[in-house]
Amino acid sequence: MNGFPGFVLRRLAGAVITLFVLSVIIYVVFYVTPGNVAQITCGPRCSPAQVQQVAGQLHLDDPLYVRYWHFLQGVFVGQDYSTGTSVEHCAAPCLGQSYQTGREVTDIIRAKLPVSFSLVSGAMVMWLLLGVGTGVLSAWRRGRLSERVLTAVTLAGVATPVFVIGLVLMIVVCGELQLLPFPQYVNFTDDPEQWAWNLLLPWLSLALIEAAGFARLTRASMLETLAEDHIRTFRAYGVGERAVIVRHALRGATASVIALNAVTVGSAVGGAVLTETLFGLPGIGQELVRAVKVVDLPVVVGMVLVTGFFVVLANAVADVLYAVADRRVVLA
């Protein structure tokens, strides 16, 4: 299939293959590790017979490819697992059961995902507005004092860790100026206004770091576009400077911004771990830190796999949007 539909199908097929490879890597890294997984799953009070029963239920004595097949079966059709005294069914998509709490990993992810989604999506809107806006202003005011100040600010943003920005914002905004309360997550459906106010500082902390890259890329792309012949032609025909900037130069930077945004979403997921921990937000990042500390392998694997899924999805969507912005990509 040629044309745009074929391009979309190829990108979707690539995303599926990437997810499969990712699942293999995650399984090998976390599940094929030394240590008595059956004993950890069953608990310290289980008898040797119960531990052996759990090992059989988890297929720990099977070859590696068989164990991975059972792992995939759990994701797509569900699976039965033993707690040492009984057998329970885990409906698809089954990512296992927490060693510490006994809850299904999918239930934990469903509870934590809205917090992380709210954090990353809100921060994404802010870093696009701040980054692209700053880049446009820097290109427009090239060679002036305001452009030098904006460039210095963006460089400082790249060099500053997210936890430093978050800590400074909390001390100044919440402590000294008392303009905002210390963040406490509120469900969007309960109170949209409080939801936004309590996430404003976490959004800024994450967005200020990422906006710097968008500002530099937008500025460079616009300066390159402004130096082209057709821009000089527009100016010669009397087209206003604002129209040249917005309608023509900014449009030339759109494809690059889309591509960078896909990569930034992936890095923002890592930054969300620090941001959630710093502000005490009960999201996937904070839960992942807890699971790593107590070696809760099913939770760690589930969190990493779901996070990887959204990163791959973001890149696939970005590829399609990139092709919409620049149709030459479809022919590549």
Side-chain angles (χ1 to χ4, degrees), residues 139-206:
W140 192 5
R141 310 289 292 182
R142 182 184 181 184
R144 302 184 184 182
L145 178 61
S146 57
E147 188 265 342
R148 297 190 184 94
V149 172
L150 290 173
T151 301
V153 170
T154 55
L155 289 176
V158 172
T160 308
V162 62
F163 64 87
V164 173
I165 291 181
L167 189 60
V168 170
L169 285 176
M170 275 201 299
I171 293 174
V172 175
V173 177
C174 299
E176 297 295 331
L177 301 179
Q178 297 183 355
L179 297 177
L180 291 173
F182 286 95
Q184 292 181 345
Y185 183 75
V186 177
N187 289 325
F188 177 81
T189 54
D190 295 338
D191 192 335
E193 183 179 353
Q194 288 301 316
W195 170 83
W197 277 112
N198 280 275
L199 284 175
L200 184 57
L201 284 186
W203 285 343
L204 281 174
S205 300
L206 199 54

Side-chain angles (χ1 to χ4, degrees), residues 16 19-20 23 68-79 89-95 305:
V16 172
L19 285 173
F20 172 75
S23 68
Y68 178 70
W69 172 249
H70 286 297
F71 174 74
L72 288 182
Q73 280 185 319
V75 173
F76 291 103
V77 300
Q79 65 176 334
H89 179 72
C90 179
C94 180
L95 299 174
L305 189 60

Side-chain angles (χ1 to χ4, degrees), residues 291-309:
V292 170
K293 289 181 179 179
V294 298
V295 199
D296 201 345
L297 288 181
V299 177
V300 174
V301 171
M303 296 288 184
V304 174
L305 189 60
V306 169
T307 300
F309 168 78

Side-chain angles (χ1 to χ4, degrees), residues 12-298:
L12 290 177
V16 172
I17 294 173
T18 303
L19 285 173
F20 172 75
V21 174
L22 178 65
S23 68
V24 173
I25 295 174
I26 293 174
Y27 183 84
V28 171
V29 169
F30 289 105
Y31 275 102
V32 187
T33 55
N36 195 336
V37 176
Q39 182 67 63
I40 298 174
T41 304
C42 189
R45 298 183 179 179
C46 288
S47 65
Q50 290 174 325
V51 173
Q52 186 60 38
Q53 179 185 356
V54 174
Q57 191 67 39
L58 295 176
H59 309 284
L60 298 179
D61 298 328
D62 294 337
L64 177 60
Y65 67 90
V66 175
R67 294 170 60 185
Y68 178 70
W69 172 249
H70 286 297
F71 174 74
L72 288 182
Q73 280 185 319
V75 173
F76 291 103
V77 300
Q79 65 176 334
D80 296 328
Y81 57 87
S82 173
T83 61
T85 57
S86 62
V87 177
E88 299 180 7
H89 179 72
C90 179
C94 180
L95 299 174
Q97 185 184 40
S98 170
Y99 293 160
Q100 302 297 319
T101 64
R103 294 178 61 192
E104 292 185 10
V105 175
T106 49
D107 290 340
I108 298 175
I109 293 175
R110 289 190 190 102
K112 304 294 183 180
L113 189 58
V115 181
S116 298
F117 180 79
S118 298
L119 175 62
V120 175
S121 59
M124 182 181 69
V125 173
M126 295 191 80
W127 75 54
L128 286 174
L129 292 175
L130 293 174
V132 175
T134 302
V136 170
L137 188 58
S138 297
W140 192 5
R141 310 289 292 182
R142 182 184 181 184
R144 302 184 184 182
L145 178 61
S146 57
E147 188 265 342
R148 297 190 184 94
V149 172
L150 290 173
T151 301
V153 170
T154 55
L155 289 176
V158 172
T160 308
V162 62
F163 64 87
V164 173
I165 291 181
L167 189 60
V168 170
L169 285 176
M170 275 201 299
I171 293 174
V172 175
V173 177
C174 299
E176 297 295 331
L177 301 179
Q178 297 183 355
L179 297 177
L180 291 173
F182 286 95
Q184 292 181 345
Y185 183 75
V186 177
N187 289 325
F188 177 81
T189 54
D190 295 338
D191 192 335
E193 183 179 353
Q194 288 301 316
W195 170 83
W197 277 112
N198 280 275
L199 284 175
L200 184 57
L201 284 186
W203 285 343
L204 281 174
S205 300
L206 199 54
L208 288 175
I209 298 294
E210 307 297 349
F214 285 91
R216 298 176 67 184
L217 178 65
T218 303
R219 177 181 179 274
S221 299
M222 290 190 62
L223 289 177
E224 181 180 355
T225 304
L226 289 172
E228 294 179 356
D229 293 338
H230 70 280
I231 296 296
R232 288 194 290 268
T233 302
F234 287 135
R235 286 170 172 165
Y237 277 98
V239 178
E241 188 67 17
R242 181 173 299 179
V244 170
I245 292 290
V246 175
R247 295 181 183 178
H248 304 287
L250 182 57
R251 183 179 300 176
T254 301
S256 299
V257 169
I258 291 173
L260 178 61
N261 192 58
V263 178
T264 305
V265 168
S267 64
V269 172
V273 174
L274 295 174
T275 307
E276 289 176 5
T277 304
L278 177 64
F279 290 99
L281 300 176
I284 286 181
Q286 192 178 48
E287 180 65 23
L288 182 59
V289 172
R290 183 207 64 81
V292 170
K293 289 181 179 179
V294 298
V295 199
D296 201 345
L297 288 181

